[in-house]
Amino acid sequence: MSEPVLELVDVERSYPQAAGRLEVLRGIDLRLHAGELVALVGPSGAGKSTLLHTAGLLERAQRGEVRVGGQSCGTMSDGRRTAVRRHSIGFVYQFHHLLPEFTALENVMLPQRIAGASRGDAMARAGELLRELGLAERVQHRPAQLSGGEQQRVAIARALANAPLILLADEPTGNLDEGTADVVFGEFVGMARARGLAALIATHNLALADRMDRVVRLANGQLLAA
């Protein structure tokens, strides 16, 4: 089997509290390979978002190692971690976090422009991704002019804009009604599979989790096979 594109080895993360430190992640071990979609489940407050933020280099582990594309990221400078995150990891959140003053097309162009793509190349790729998600007629609409499902499709396109190795998603359809969530989730999974991406998707929806290649459960700071 090929080397993992995302690897967490004995990762620990805790936060200070008045009564001492709250241990959220305790010795987390996880490996994702290209083309593998993994559901992350667990009760509210279990630390799923913390795990995603640590895996996505938004937070630093206090112990253990995070490797992205074979690179050990623990001792990297903040600037280098930002570069790895920008080029290798795409994020999708429960709330789309689109910039309201920009069109759908501009929102998907933005991460590409930040990464150094030309305006023409960024526009072409953004248009292609939005067409693939059925938004060809909505590219010039601003977020307030889009439905919830359309907004989340734009967020998915934005996450894919820089052709990442890894997708990390935190309840990506949790803010949508059941029918729309099922459709958008199917599109999200289909695009990830078509591109051979590794994906770690936190969800409370067990029916959606069962559509993944495997399911892992976070409980009491530890990761277990579900």
Side-chain angles (χ1 to χ4, degrees), residues 2-224:
S2 62
E3 290 296 312
V5 294
L6 175 64
E7 191 169 12
L8 280 66
V9 181
D10 198 24
V11 165
E12 294 187 0
R13 190 77 176 86
S14 62
Y15 300 95
Q17 290 190 323
R21 296 196 70 85
L22 173 65
E23 295 186 13
V24 179
L25 305 179
R26 308 180 186 203
I28 297 293
D29 288 302
L30 179 66
R31 289 162 183 82
L32 269 70
H33 292 84
E36 183 180 27
L37 275 57
V38 177
L40 173 64
V41 302
S44 296
K48 299 187 296 297
S49 294
T50 297
L51 195 159
L52 289 171
H53 289 169
T54 305
L57 309 183
L58 293 169
E59 298 184 22
R60 288 185 183 267
Q62 286 147 333
R63 177 181 170 184
E65 189 169 10
V66 178
R67 302 183 190 123
V68 175
Q71 298 182 82
S72 178
C73 302
T75 59
M76 285 181 177
S77 67
D78 288 344
R80 180 61 182 147
R81 284 165 64 91
T82 297
V84 171
R85 185 170 62 245
R86 182 178 296 149
H87 291 283
S88 298
I89 303 171
F91 292 89
V92 182
Y93 298 98
Q94 178 174 353
F95 300 99
H96 52 78
H97 298 302
L98 300 175
L99 295 176
E101 67 273 24
F102 290 168
T103 66
L105 187 73
E106 291 167 338
N107 268 282
V108 182
M109 288 174 62
L110 185 60
Q112 300 175 74
R113 296 287 282 152
I114 292 171
S118 70
R119 178 175 175 81
D121 287 347
M123 184 179 295
R125 178 159 176 78
E128 177 185 348
L129 287 166
L130 291 169
R131 283 192 298 273
E132 191 172 344
L133 284 159
L135 295 174
E137 305 301 319
R138 311 290 275 169
V139 295
Q140 296 302 330
H141 288 68
R142 288 181 170 81
Q145 299 170 298
L146 302 173
S147 70
E150 288 170 339
Q151 290 171 348
Q152 200 65 332
R153 288 180 176 95
V154 176
I156 291 167
R158 181 183 57 190
L160 293 167
N162 284 333
L165 297 172
I166 302 155
L167 283 177
L168 301 176
D170 196 353
E171 298 286 350
T173 59
N175 200 39
L176 303 177
D177 65 80
E178 184 176 351
T180 303
D182 187 68
V183 172
V184 172
F185 194 83
E187 293 171 340
F188 176 66
V189 167
M191 293 186 80
R193 289 198 187 281
R195 288 161 173 78
L197 304 182
L200 181 62
I201 304 169
T203 181
H204 283 102
N205 189 322
L206 297 182
L208 298 182
D210 285 342
R211 294 161 64 176
M212 304 293 92
D213 298 317
R214 61 186 170 104
V215 181
V216 294
R217 178 176 297 277
L218 186 62
N220 300 317
Q222 296 182 314
L223 203 57
L224 310 167

